[in-house]
Amino acid sequence: MKLVHSLAELREEIASHKKSQKSIGFVPTMGALHEGHASLMREARENNDFVVLSIFVNPTQFGVNEDFSKYPRTLPEDCKIAEASGVDLVFAPSAEEMYPLGFQTYIEVGKVAEPLCGKFRPGHFRGVTTVVNRLFNLIEPTRAYFGQKDIQQCLVLLRMVKDFGSPVELVICPTIREKDGLAMSSRNRYLSATERKKSLVIYRALQAVELLHQQGETEVAELSLAAEQELARVPEFELQYLEILSYPDLEKIETVKDQAVIAIAGFLGKTRLIDNSIL
Ligand code: AMP
């Protein structure tokens, strides 16, 4: 496995690989890797000749009062996980490398980026699409791998790729959870022992809705109520949103007819947690 930091080195690696005309699987991350990330890398390894992982804590997707400066940065450990997961090339650029002086071109996806995290993290998806598009241009992957854990991110990027007519195939991989159900996240390490226990309330709320839906309930008001009741058991969980929207368009619905997504976000202490389930 090779680790490069500069665009020049990355371009060289990609160019020499492209000569062989084999497939490239790409996994973009912000590092602090865990089993959720590893599952994407393994999936990429299985289906591509060459696997590229990017590790970049992207400043443009963080709001002013968010955790950019304290976001965990663990490159040596990340490289071990990447190597064990079959990655060929790690690209870990600096912010100056990705956003050279004078950078001013951003990509903004429309409606699908507006609800949920779009409402609570203004500018977040603009940062995500801008950096992912830039990485796609540099790496020209055959396939790129994303986690369902960040479902709106997946849908926003799907829209971007479709609207640009990009040749990359996006693969959405299932959410990997801790044994007790908490969705793995780099931010889980911020949780105190007490908060860690309380964090399970999100998964329980999702499960309550899934169960009720399996029993035949399709009214969004009823399904939401089941989740609200679960969430109310942990008053410390400061809810940002609990929404059941159409999938994949993320539009308001009153009844679940085809596919829908239930998405939850909120804070436990200072830690923001999100999770979702597709109904
Ligand atoms: P991040 O480093 O948080 O930007 O995540 C990088 C990629 O890993 C994104 O596509 C995430 O959706 C995905 N990911 C993060 N956590 C999980 C998880 N628990 N299960 C599956 N994929 C995940």
Side-chain angles (χ1 to χ4, degrees):
M1 188 184 82
K2 201 158 180 177
L3 167 65
V4 298
H5 297 284
S6 72
L7 295 188
E9 289 168 297
L10 175 71
R11 285 203 185 95
E12 201 175 300
E13 287 293 323
I14 297 294
S16 79
H17 178 76
K18 283 257 147 166
K19 282 190 201 127
S20 61
Q21 300 211 322
K22 289 188 173 159
S23 59
I24 299 181
F26 173 45
V27 182
T29 77
M30 298 204 298
L33 301 180
H34 50 67
E35 192 47 35
H37 299 114
S39 72
L40 307 185
M41 294 181 239
R42 286 195 297 266
E43 188 68 23
R45 174 74 284 161
E46 228 165 83
N47 296 297
N48 299 276
D49 301 302
F50 192 68
V51 176
V52 183
L53 170 80
S54 67
I55 297 178
F56 179 57
V57 185
N58 174 32
T60 64
Q61 71 187 71
F62 287 80
V64 275
N65 294 317
E66 293 183 356
D67 56 346
F68 172 70
S69 55
K70 74 163 194 167
Y71 198 85
R73 287 153 171 96
T74 58
L75 188 60
E77 290 85 350
D78 289 351
C79 285
K80 285 185 200 145
I81 296 173
E83 183 143 37
S85 310
V87 168
D88 297 303
L89 179 67
V90 177
F91 175 51
S94 65
E96 293 74 32
E97 196 73 11
M98 289 302 280
Y99 297 107
L101 206 65
F103 186 95
Q104 49 186 284
T105 306
Y106 293 86
I107 291 167
E108 214 157 287
V109 169
K111 252 171 45 191
V112 73
E114 285 169 10
L116 308 177
C117 290
K119 216 185 293 174
F120 289 91
R121 301 185 71 188
H124 170 66
F125 289 118
R126 174 187 192 251
V128 170
T129 43
T130 300
V131 80
V132 170
N133 179 64
R134 192 148 160 64
L135 290 164
F136 281 0
N137 286 338
L138 289 161
I139 295 164
E140 295 182 43
T142 319
R143 300 178 191 87
Y145 295 81
F146 297 90
Q148 189 201 315
K149 152 113 196 316
D150 300 282
I151 191 63
Q152 190 176 15
Q153 170 170 284
C154 294
L155 297 172
V156 167
L157 291 171
L158 274 169
R159 193 68 247 173
M160 176 184 83
V161 160
K162 204 169 185 180
D163 291 351
F164 280 163
S166 310
V168 56
E169 177 194 341
L170 299 199
V171 183
I172 303 181
C173 302
T175 302
I176 305 298
R177 299 177 179 283
E178 301 288 355
K179 279 200 186 75
D180 60 10
L182 175 67
M184 288 189 184
S185 162
S186 306
R187 290 189 168 97
N188 290 352
R189 67 188 74 192
Y190 301 152
L191 297 169
S192 69
T194 320
E195 288 167 350
R196 173 64 185 81
K197 278 189 201 130
K198 294 186 187 290
S199 68
L200 288 184
V201 70
I202 304 173
Y203 185 55
R204 284 201 217 103
L206 293 178
Q207 281 187 312
V209 174
E210 280 172 24
L211 183 68
L212 198 58
H213 181 249
Q214 279 158 18
Q215 289 167 347
E217 182 60 66
T218 56
E219 287 307 304
V220 165
E222 291 301 317
L223 293 166
S224 299
L225 190 62
E228 280 159 21
Q229 282 168 347
E230 273 306 320
L231 293 177
R233 290 166 185 253
V234 178
E236 294 86 351
F237 181 65
E238 200 186 306
L239 184 69
Q240 268 195 336
Y241 61 72
L242 154 61
E243 291 214 55
I244 299 176
L245 301 175
S246 69
Y247 181 88
D249 298 329
L250 301 185
E251 285 174 353
K252 287 231 181 263
I253 47 171
E254 283 180 9
T255 311
V256 177
K257 287 196 192 101
D258 304 313
Q259 275 192 307
V261 61
I262 164 153
I264 297 177
F267 282 89
L268 261 176
K270 290 197 163 108
T271 309
R272 186 172 186 272
L273 300 172
I274 61 170
D275 203 346
N276 70 84
S277 172
I278 296 172
L279 301 174

